[in-house]
């Protein structure tokens, strides 16, 4: 079978080396990586199998991680990872959804094989895919080991993207641009919300003439009329009225690298007040983007944005951005830095964010946003869709 690797082996070696150095710094002998984006980052693994227990095990001494997944998914591991076959382990199917057997007992046996029976083991305590039952079963199966919280250890390393990763982020941005264009082209009075959403999804999977897209880590956010006051609503089967607003967020994908992009469409001519509101939103967004440069903190970027809003009597307490990259359900955000007041994370070249400057007030809302990468001298837009209110 031909390998489906998106990066050179040297790229994976660099990532693994950074993780092992951090493990050594923290006194961690073995790291159990349960989060699908982190598994992908360290091994390349990509299949929709994360609904069952799976784990990438990183030990300080062996050169490669060991990847454990459901037995029938080991073929996907052989196809999408650089790992030697002996470092891919299949969990027997009797462990799946069993009331008497735990897949984590199987994983514990691999930890013991690596000499980890009495090791200090790092686990992703805050991860979406590390349950209380998983932790309890591992502690029971490895009673002589000590467990420490290593949540976000890999996430912080992922925060700075390599040149190869940035290439995929740019391609994902082109898919996002195509999705927004499709939405703007089709949105008309009488078009059912679900039909508009379906067209945008079609574009997401079709991608561009040069490359295809993929499924996202979330769903299309599609907020119409009164639902536009809710940031994360979805579509209905109602036809679009002659006069309304649509806030929507699309997700462009390329090899699991995801770029988020939001825009607002006005069906019918907006009021002068709403048009002015959109211009304020864009002014604040641009101010935030112009403040981005290496050495600045996330808090300083938020401050540049908030200063413009304050001048117009608007206050936004929520963060205005989060880091993006590898995306698997349920979230693309890397759960590390945030563009918000008080976040002193220092920006570095290669970091990618969705500057999500949506405004939700009591009586109106707007979502005009910009994904970007930090460069040596400022920022690079990852999409080219005009930053404006679209009027149909």
């Amino acid at each position: 079978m031909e390998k489906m690797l998106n990066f050179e082996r040297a790229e994976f070696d660099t990532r693994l080396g950074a993780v092992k150095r951090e493990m050594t710094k923290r006194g961690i002998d073995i790291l159990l990586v349960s989060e699908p984006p982190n598994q992908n980052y360290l091994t390349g693994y990509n299949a929709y199998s994360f609904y069952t227990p799976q784990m990438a095990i990183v030990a300080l001494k062996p050169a490669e991680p060991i990847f454990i997944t459901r037995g029938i998914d080991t073929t996907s591991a052989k196809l999408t990872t650089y790992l030697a076959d002996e470092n891919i382990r299949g969990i027997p199917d009797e462990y799946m959804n069993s009331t008497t057997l735990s897949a984590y007992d199987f994983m514990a046996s691999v930890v013991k094989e690596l000499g980890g029976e009495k090791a200090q083991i790092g686990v992703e305590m805050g991860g979406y895919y590390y349950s209380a039952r998983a932790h309890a079963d591992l502690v029971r199966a490895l009673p002589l080991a000590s467990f420490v919280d290593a949540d976000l250890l890999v996430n912080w390393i992922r925060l700075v993207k390599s040149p190869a990763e940035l290439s995929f982020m740019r391609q994902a941005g082109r898919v996002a641009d195509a999705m927004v264009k499709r939405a703007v082209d089709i949105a008309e009075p009488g078009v059912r919300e679900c039909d508009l959403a379906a067209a945008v999804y079609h574009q997401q999977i079709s991608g561009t003439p040069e490359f295809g897209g993929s499924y996202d880590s979330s769903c299309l956010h599609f907020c119409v009329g009164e639902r536009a006051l809710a940031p994360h609503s979805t579509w209905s089967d109602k036809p679009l009225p002659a006069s309304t607003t649509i806030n929507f967020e699309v997700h462009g994908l390329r090899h699991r690298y995801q770029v988020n992009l939001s825009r607002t469409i006005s069906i019918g001519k907006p009021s002068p007040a709403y048009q002015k509101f959109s211009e304020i939103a864009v002014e604040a967004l641009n101010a935030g983007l112009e403040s981005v440069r290496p050495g600045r903190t996330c808090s300083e970027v938020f401050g540049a944005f908030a200063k413009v809003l304050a001048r117009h009597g608007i206050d936004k307490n929520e963060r205005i951005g989060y880091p993006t990259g590898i995306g698997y359900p349920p979230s693309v955000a890397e759960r590390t830095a945030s563009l918000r007041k008080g976040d002193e994370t220092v920006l570095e070249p290669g970091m990618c964010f969705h500057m999500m400057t949506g405004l939700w007030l009591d009586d109106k809302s707007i979502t005009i946003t910009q994904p970007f990468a930090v460069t040596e001298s400022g920022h690079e837009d990852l999409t080219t869709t005009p930053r404006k209110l679209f009027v149909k």
Side-chain angles (χ1 to χ4, degrees), residues 159 286-305 337-340 343-349 351 353 355 372 374-379:
L159 186 56
N286 288 340
L289 290 168
E290 289 164 7
S291 74
V292 171
R293 58 182 49 85
R296 288 269 173 90
T297 66
C298 290
S299 185
E300 287 175 313
V301 173
F302 176 88
F305 167 84
S338 287
L339 301 178
R340 62 157 53 107
D343 190 321
E344 299 305 318
T345 303
V346 177
L347 299 181
E348 298 179 38
M351 292 181 177
F353 289 86
M355 189 172 280
F372 70 90
V374 182
T375 66
E376 295 290 344
S377 58
H379 80 280

Side-chain angles (χ1 to χ4, degrees), residues 35-37 47-48 50-51 128-129 215-219 256 258 326-332:
E35 289 295 277
Y48 204 97
F50 41 83
Y51 60 92
Y128 297 114
Y129 293 88
Y215 70 91
D216 53 356
S217 66
S218 179
C219 67
R256 298 315 316 157
Q258 180 168 318
I326 301 170
Y328 282 89
S331 173
V332 67

